[in-house]
Every structure is written in C-alpha cells, then in structure tokens.
Amino acid sequence: LRATNEGFTADPQQQAQQEEREAQKQMMLKQILSAEALERLGRCKLVRRERAEALEVKLIQMAMKGELRSQLTEAQLIQMLETHSQQSQPKVTIQRRRFNLDDDDDNDDDLM
C-alpha cells in the first residue's frame, strides 16, 4: 500500500497515472497564473483544499474554452476567490420573535 493525498492505493500504475494528471494540472496552472497568483493559490490550498481545487478546475476549464486572454494576476485571483467564497457560503437568517406576556406595559408595580 502506498500513501497518497487522497488515501492509500495498492496499484502503482494507478498512482503513476494520478501523479501524471497532477503534474499536467500544475503545468497548466503555471501557464494560466502569474507567479504571485500561483503562490497565493498554493497558500489557499493549505487552508481550504476543496475550495482551492474547485477553483483550479474552474481556471483550467476557462483556459480550455479560451476565456482567459492573459495570465491572471494575484489581484484577479483574489477577486475570483472572494466571488467563489460568497457563492458557496450559505445565507444565514435569524428571526427574532417577541413573545407576548399577559400585558404589554412595563409597569411591574403589581408584582410587589
């Protein structure tokens, strides 16, 4: 058994294929992103692996479709990260309800 990022695998051929796919992905990202943007994406991957990998896939798809005209800068990557995180965060709504007691007046003289 060999340890990989995704777990353990018993097939060395399968692991070699996975390593090759990862190397191809890294080469594409080096072409798509500036050095600073690639470094930032790497730091993001340390903190939020799933989110960073989803963004990597999205960037590669955009490049394959021809949607990227030049290398993305760090500022553009930050903007994409912020947009992606806003879309993926669920909205939380808190509703406060006031429960009515016997009366609405604040006069507590009757309690004495």
Side-chain angles (χ1 to χ4, degrees):
L1 292 176
R2 290 187 168 184
T4 64
N5 289 343
E6 285 75 29
F8 291 94
T9 180
D11 187 6
Q13 183 180 6
Q14 184 181 20
Q15 182 171 348
Q17 289 174 347
Q18 184 174 352
E19 288 173 0
E20 174 137 358
R21 283 191 301 264
E22 184 66 28
Q24 288 175 346
K25 183 168 80 168
Q26 291 304 318
M27 284 183 58
M28 288 193 72
L29 289 172
K30 283 181 184 178
Q31 293 173 354
I32 296 169
L33 301 171
S34 68
E36 295 85 12
L38 189 61
E39 183 180 334
R40 180 169 291 269
L41 185 60
R43 289 192 308 264
C44 291
K45 198 171 188 177
L46 292 173
V47 178
R48 302 252 180 174
R49 184 174 196 83
E50 301 84 23
R51 188 173 291 171
E53 287 177 350
L55 186 59
E56 287 176 352
V57 170
K58 182 178 180 180
L59 287 170
I60 291 171
Q61 288 174 347
M62 288 173 68
M64 293 175 86
K65 290 179 183 178
E67 295 177 10
L68 301 177
R69 306 252 185 259
S70 62
Q71 279 191 333
L72 288 177
T73 63
E74 185 178 12
Q76 291 170 320
L77 181 68
I78 290 170
Q79 185 178 13
M80 288 185 78
L81 284 166
E82 288 173 352
T83 304
H84 189 265
S85 69
Q86 289 174 356
Q87 291 173 350
S88 63
Q89 287 182 348
K91 298 286 181 181
V92 176
T93 305
I94 298 174
Q95 294 179 346
R96 294 185 180 200
R97 296 185 181 141
R98 181 176 175 169
F99 293 102
N100 292 331
L101 299 176
D102 293 336
D103 55 14
D104 285 337
D105 65 11
D106 290 334
N107 187 358
D108 292 333
D109 289 339
D110 59 338
L111 296 176
M112 289 188 209

